[in-house]
Amino acid sequence: GQSLEQPSEVTAVEGAIVQINCTYQTSGFYGLSWYQQHDGGAPTFLSYNALDGLEETGRFSSFLSRSDSYGYLLLQELQMKDSASYFCAPHTGGFKTIFGAGTRLFVKA
Amino acid sequence: EAGVTQFPSHSVIEKGQTVTLRCDPISGHDNLYWYRRVMGKEIKFLLHFVKESKQDESGMPNNRFLAERTGGTYSTLKVQPAELEDSGVYFCASSQPAGREQFFGPGTRLTVL
C-alpha cells in the first residue's frame, strides 16, 4: 500500500529554523515535491528532489534520502508569512503526485 | 502570463443535481490534473490528462464523475448526480510537458446540500 507521514502541526518563532519531516511508502517513486498552501489559497510549488541530497532555494531547502524513503523541508529565518500548510508529495509514476494531510506551521512573533 | 483559472469559484447545489467545473490551464501546458480536498482530509489526486488523453484516472471516485479535455485545452469535471460526500474543494493544476512543478488554480469550492 501507500502511506505518507508528516507531523500534523509545528510551531516556531520568527527568525527561527524549522524542519518538517516526511516519510513515505509508495509503489514506485520518482521524486519528492514540496508545496505550500495558505488558508483559502491554492498549493504553491516549493521544490522537487529527484536525487539524494539537499536542494537549496533561498530560505527554503529540501532534502531527500531515497534509501530511507525520507525527506524534509527546512525553512530558515522564519517569517510570519510562512504560516501555512506544507505538503510533501511523492511522485509515484508518470506524473501522478500523492499529497498527504500536510503539516500546519504556525509562526509566532 | 495568466495562471491556471477555474470556474466557478463556488458552487452550492442540492443532492442529485449536476455540476460542471471548468479549468483553463496555463497556455502550452500539456499536463492537466484534477485534485480534490474534502473537509479536513488530504488533497487527493483524481486524474491526469496529457493533452486530450486521460493518462491516469485511478483517483476518480466513481462513475458519477466525468472529466473531459476536448482539444487538449480546457478541461471540465462533471459530477452527476452530486452526493453530499462530494462537497469539498476541487483543484486543477497544470504543468509543462516534462515539468514536475505543478501550477495550481484557486480551486472550486463545491457544497452539496
Side-chain angles (χ1 to χ4, degrees), chain A residues 36-74:
Chain A
Q36 176 193 62
Q37 185 181 27
H38 286 97
D39 283 348
T44 303
F45 175 85
L46 293 176
S47 68
Y48 174 72
N49 293 66
L51 303 175
D52 286 359
L54 191 68
E55 293 278 346
E56 298 182 66
T57 308
R59 294 188 296 114
F60 295 180
S61 302
S62 57
F63 172 83
L64 176 66
S65 169
R66 296 175 70 108
S67 60
D68 295 322
S69 298
Y70 165 75
Y72 66 73
L73 180 69
L74 191 72

Side-chain angles (χ1 to χ4, degrees), chain B residues 44-102:
Chain B
K44 291 202 75 173
F45 168 87
L46 296 180
L47 87 161
H48 168 216
F49 282 100
V50 176
K51 297 184 180 179
E52 68 275 9
S53 299
K54 291 177 186 174
Q55 191 74 14
D56 183 344
E57 53 183 330
S58 60
M60 294 289 265
N62 51 61
N63 59 10
R64 295 186 293 104
F65 289 75
L66 175 65
E68 295 180 321
R69 192 182 182 194
T70 307
T73 54
Y74 71 91
S75 175
T76 58
L77 180 65
K78 180 190 287 188
V79 185
Q80 179 183 29
E83 298 289 344
L84 299 179
E85 64 265 24
D86 299 333
S87 295
V89 181
Y90 289 76
F91 290 104
C92 173
S94 70
S95 69
Q96 292 180 342
R100 292 295 179 183
E101 177 178 359
Q102 295 182 25

Side-chain angles (χ1 to χ4, degrees), chain A residues 30 33 35 37 40-45 48 85 87 91 93-102, chain B residues 31 33 35 37 41-43 45 48 56 58-59 91 95-102 104-106:
Chain A
Y30 289 78
S33 290
Y35 285 81
Q37 185 181 27
T44 303
F45 175 85
Y48 174 72
S85 292
F87 298 88
H91 296 250
F95 287 80
K96 183 174 181 177
T97 306
I98 305 297
F99 286 82
Chain B
N31 295 296
Y33 314 81
Y35 296 89
R37 187 174 195 183
K41 296 195 174 182
E42 69 273 21
I43 298 171
F45 168 87
H48 168 216
D56 183 344
S58 60
F91 290 104
S95 69
Q96 292 180 342
R100 292 295 179 183
E101 177 178 359
Q102 295 182 25
F104 280 75

